[in-house]
Every structure is written in C-alpha cells, then in structure tokens.
Amino acid sequence: MSKMLYQGHGSYRLTTRDGKTIYVDPYVGEGYDVPADLIVISHEHHDHNNLAIIRQQAPGCRILRPANMLVNGEYRTEEVQGITVRAVQAYNGHHKKEECVGYI
C-alpha cells in the first residue's frame, strides 16, 4: 500500500508500495527522518526546497528540479529507481510559467 504524509505548507512524504521514499517540496514539519530515494522540487522558492531538513539520502537518491524537468519548453519524464516521474505544467502566480513544474 502507498502512503502519503502531509508535512505542512506544500511538503509531503510519499512511500511507494515497494518502500521507496519520495519527498515533495521539503520545507517544514516532522517526518524527514526516513532516507530519501527521490526528492522533487516544484519551484525554487526557499519554502519549497529546504534540502537541509532531510536527514539522509539513500544511495542513488536523485533530486529533480524544474531546471532539469522543463528544458527548452519541453516537460521531461525521468525514471528513478523504478519510479516514473513526469513533469507537467504548473503555475502559482508568483513565478514565470517556465520556472514551475508539477509532477505525476
């Protein structure tokens, strides 16, 4: 069974069925004690990319950022440790559209 922990603000910890840990927009809250297999950042505001709060990264951990996932106007798809991550258009009103991504 997959699990999702809301950590506060825009921050989540997802656990996949096979035990992989994904952090989304780390910033505040509890629950950053599980080693990260994947970290995804939606945009580069300080309150969405506090990597220092994550206590440990598992071997092979990747960090996906908008600059890597939206290249020349093209939204990319990456496979990380058996997890397929597809970037999609997202916008929060405080950034240029090319500075933000959502993830599926």
Side-chain angles (χ1 to χ4, degrees):
M1 168 170 54
S2 300
K3 294 180 182 179
M4 181 169 74
L5 171 66
Y6 174 65
Q7 295 173 272
H9 195 62
S11 306
Y12 293 87
R13 182 181 77 200
L14 308 172
T15 305
T16 67
R17 288 185 185 118
D18 52 343
K20 300 289 185 192
T21 299
I22 304 166
Y23 289 103
V24 179
D25 284 354
Y27 175 58
V28 297
E30 301 294 322
Y32 290 99
D33 53 332
V34 179
D37 293 293
L38 173 63
I39 302 166
V40 295
I41 308 295
S42 65
H43 62 286
E44 296 297 339
H45 263 179
H46 74 281
D47 58 346
H48 289 266
N49 67 2
N50 181 9
L51 297 176
I53 200 169
I54 298 172
R55 295 190 186 142
Q56 205 173 49
Q57 294 181 17
C61 177
R62 297 254 326 266
I63 301 169
L64 302 180
R65 298 177 172 276
N68 307 107
M69 298 302 289
L70 176 57
V71 179
N72 297 323
E74 181 181 327
Y75 293 92
R76 302 187 65 202
T77 299
E78 294 280 338
E79 176 126 358
V80 179
Q81 299 187 37
I83 303 166
T84 302
V85 180
R86 181 168 49 119
V88 295
Q89 184 177 11
Y91 183 59
N92 73 357
H94 300 287
H95 295 276
K96 297 176 184 174
K97 290 181 182 177
E98 61 272 11
E99 295 175 341
C100 299
V101 296
Y103 295 98
I104 297 174

